[in-house]
Amino acid sequence: SQQGEEDPQALSIQEGENATMNCSYKTSINNLQWYRQNSGRGLVHLILIRSNEREKHSGRLRVTLDTSKKSSSLLITASRAADTASYFCATGGSNYKLTFGKGTLLTVNP
Amino acid sequence: SAVISQKPSRDICQRGTSLTIQCQVDSQVTMMFWYRQQPGQSLTLIATANQGSEATYESGFVIDKFPISRPNLTFSTLTVSNMSPEDSSIYLCSVEGLAGDHQYEQYFGPGTRLTVT
């Protein structure tokens, strides 16, 4: 069964606005990762946050992790049309296996 | 990160036939994985491709349907056997990241889009 559940399923914003996507999961994790997928192509790794971390930044991306609530959020600041894609969270264990959520389809309108 | 290629990028196959998908990495990696993404869905792990031994399959996936080879540390194949329209999906291989800061990250190939008619 799917471990992560993204919220919302779809998000439409204007260029320049911030986009926030949430992910909830059910069991204990070693890490949580966010990926981007453009139009059904390969996945691009965005950021990994470990279970002992609470916040991580990478460029315009900010990820938070709350292990007590079993949830994570991905914030994309100053969004661009090129950010239009599907975003997936994936929970990982020490065995390297990933369990993916259902994804959020982000549309950034010019 | 590793550069990963997959062949073919897409194919249209008739039911009852089999298709072998290749995954090539530009560096030696220990862990290689195969995922399936059904239309409009998320990714599901099929199996871990182990070098020198049989693949380790996830619940719901069996070797007879999805035989996997891993002859060396840079190459793997996934075969989708006796295909039916329900096998229409994107199939992706992935590899683990480098040790240290990138440990546990996974890098994905561009995927193989399979349509079964």
Side-chain angles (χ1 to χ4, degrees), chain A residues 43-70:
Chain A
L43 270 72
V44 174
H45 183 271
L46 296 177
I47 198 164
L48 178 152
I49 186 165
R50 300 180 191 277
S51 60
N52 61 353
E53 297 175 312
R54 294 296 168 258
E55 188 170 313
K56 205 162 182 180
H57 297 256
S58 177
R60 294 185 295 113
L61 306 180
R62 172 178 172 258
V63 168
T64 63
L65 178 64
D66 187 334
T67 53
S68 67
K69 295 181 179 179
K70 291 186 168 60

Side-chain angles (χ1 to χ4, degrees), chain B residues 6-66:
Chain B
Q6 285 185 233
K7 289 181 182 179
S9 59
R10 58 176 62 226
D11 208 342
I12 301 173
C13 302
Q14 292 194 343
R15 67 176 68 203
T17 63
S18 298
L19 176 71
T20 297
I21 302 167
Q22 299 179 5
C23 179
Q24 179 75 54
V25 191
D26 69 342
S27 58
Q28 293 186 342
V29 293
T30 302
M31 311 289 287
M32 291 183 77
F33 304 91
W34 286 98
Y35 289 83
R36 180 178 73 181
Q37 185 177 28
Q38 293 176 302
Q41 303 296 314
S42 186
L43 282 78
T44 301
L45 179 63
I46 298 172
T48 303
N50 303 307
Q51 195 268 330
S53 64
E54 275 194 2
T56 306
Y57 290 83
E58 298 301 304
S59 175
F61 298 96
V62 295
I63 189 171
D64 289 347
K65 177 67 176 177
F66 298 101

Side-chain angles (χ1 to χ4, degrees), chain A:
Chain A
S1 61
Q2 295 293 341
Q3 168 79 301
E5 294 285 340
E6 280 92 341
D7 166 39
Q9 290 188 342
L11 179 62
S12 181
I13 60 174
Q14 297 299 122
E15 250 186 338
E17 293 180 340
N18 296 340
T20 299
M21 289 161 270
N22 303 299
C23 171
S24 60
Y25 57 93
K26 296 177 182 173
T27 63
S28 62
I29 61 172
N30 173 284
N31 61 82
L32 188 143
Q33 306 183 37
W34 287 90
Y35 289 82
R36 183 185 74 223
Q37 185 179 39
N38 292 84
S39 299
R41 301 170 80 174
L43 270 72
V44 174
H45 183 271
L46 296 177
I47 198 164
L48 178 152
I49 186 165
R50 300 180 191 277
S51 60
N52 61 353
E53 297 175 312
R54 294 296 168 258
E55 188 170 313
K56 205 162 182 180
H57 297 256
S58 177
R60 294 185 295 113
L61 306 180
R62 172 178 172 258
V63 168
T64 63
L65 178 64
D66 187 334
T67 53
S68 67
K69 295 181 179 179
K70 291 186 168 60
S71 67
S72 173
S73 68
L74 170 67
L75 169 67
I76 303 174
T77 60
S79 63
R80 307 165 181 168
D83 294 328
T84 295
S86 291
Y87 291 82
F88 295 92
C89 70
T91 54
S94 57
N95 59 7
Y96 291 89
K97 294 182 183 179
L98 294 179
T99 304
F100 281 81
K102 294 180 180 179
T104 294
L105 176 60
L106 172 66
T107 302
V108 181
N109 301 299

